[in-house]
Amino acid sequence: MSALICVARIGAAHGVRGAVKLWTFTEDPFAVKRYGPLLSKDGKRQFELAQVREAKDHLVATFKGVATRDEAERLNGIELYVARDKLPATDEDEYYHADLIGLAAVTTDGDALGRVLAIHNFGAGDIIEIAPLKGATMLLPFTNAVVPEVDLKGGRVVIALPQEIEGDKDEARSTSRPREGGDP
């Protein structure tokens, strides 16, 4: 099985008939219904959506086999995953976080820098976190200026270490949220 990608998280119970609040991490929130059974992080539990409807800032969903509030409450906090190969291809200069995490990070001179630990977005654009060979982790803007090359097949990202980080007007790279099938 290919790597698992988190596409949603189950929230609190909603009502008394087994519904839950559902936060999705997909471009189209309703795409989670089209991916088929969703898996727990360890891949041992499957969840099949029965119904989904839109709410203010989340979805309200019911799962097959969950009929009471007590059953729904036990699901709170579970993250839901799909296999990476079920997701559509990304556009050029667009990547899924899971495709980047673990890649080697090298300088523009080809010197080893470390590994990609995570991709974050705190509201001002994507940040790439590098775990260096020595020292504290580095948080750098995930822009074309700082990350001029992403070589997925070669298993590396090239990092142009900035002298000083200020507002970056270069075109930003983007990380992708899973989309519904069809054209990406």
Side-chain angles (χ1 to χ4, degrees):
M1 176 186 283
S2 69
L4 295 177
I5 306 285
C6 184
V7 294
R9 181 179 46 81
I10 300 172
H14 181 86
V16 296
R17 296 190 177 129
V20 295
K21 294 179 180 181
L22 186 67
W23 277 268
T24 61
F25 311 126
T26 56
E27 188 173 60
D28 172 9
F30 291 96
V32 295
K33 187 158 175 143
R34 294 185 284 272
Y35 291 134
L38 304 168
L39 304 171
S40 59
K41 187 173 188 172
D42 62 8
K44 294 180 180 176
R45 293 178 68 188
Q46 280 194 2
F47 300 88
E48 193 170 339
L49 286 164
Q51 293 183 331
V52 179
R53 67 178 172 82
E54 194 168 12
K56 185 173 181 174
D57 62 348
H58 59 279
L59 299 178
V60 173
T62 57
F63 293 96
K64 291 183 180 176
V66 177
T68 69
R69 182 176 183 88
D70 287 342
E71 292 170 333
E73 285 174 348
R74 287 192 286 274
L75 301 178
N76 191 3
I78 293 176
E79 292 179 331
L80 302 174
Y81 293 78
V82 296
R84 167 67 175 88
D85 57 10
K86 286 189 173 185
L87 300 175
T90 57
D91 291 334
E92 186 177 332
D93 261 1
E94 185 177 67
Y95 309 93
Y96 290 116
H97 290 199
D99 293 340
L100 299 170
I101 294 170
L103 293 181
V106 299
T107 66
T108 52
D109 295 330
D111 297 329
L113 193 58
R115 293 228 167 259
V116 177
L117 189 60
I119 306 295
H120 305 285
N121 190 316
F122 303 110
D126 288 327
I127 304 290
I128 189 168
E129 184 175 0
I130 307 293
L133 303 173
K134 295 184 218 175
T137 61
M138 296 183 284
L139 297 174
L140 302 166
F142 190 54
T143 62
N144 286 327
V146 176
V147 187
E149 182 181 347
V150 175
D151 180 4
L152 294 177
K153 290 181 181 166
R156 70 184 193 132
V157 294
V158 175
I159 304 291
L161 291 171
Q163 298 299 320
E164 184 175 331
I165 299 173
E166 291 185 23
D168 190 350
K169 294 182 182 179
D170 290 342
E171 182 181 324
R173 294 184 179 276
S174 65
T175 54
S176 182
R177 294 177 171 216
R179 304 173 191 208
E180 75 175 277
D183 293 332

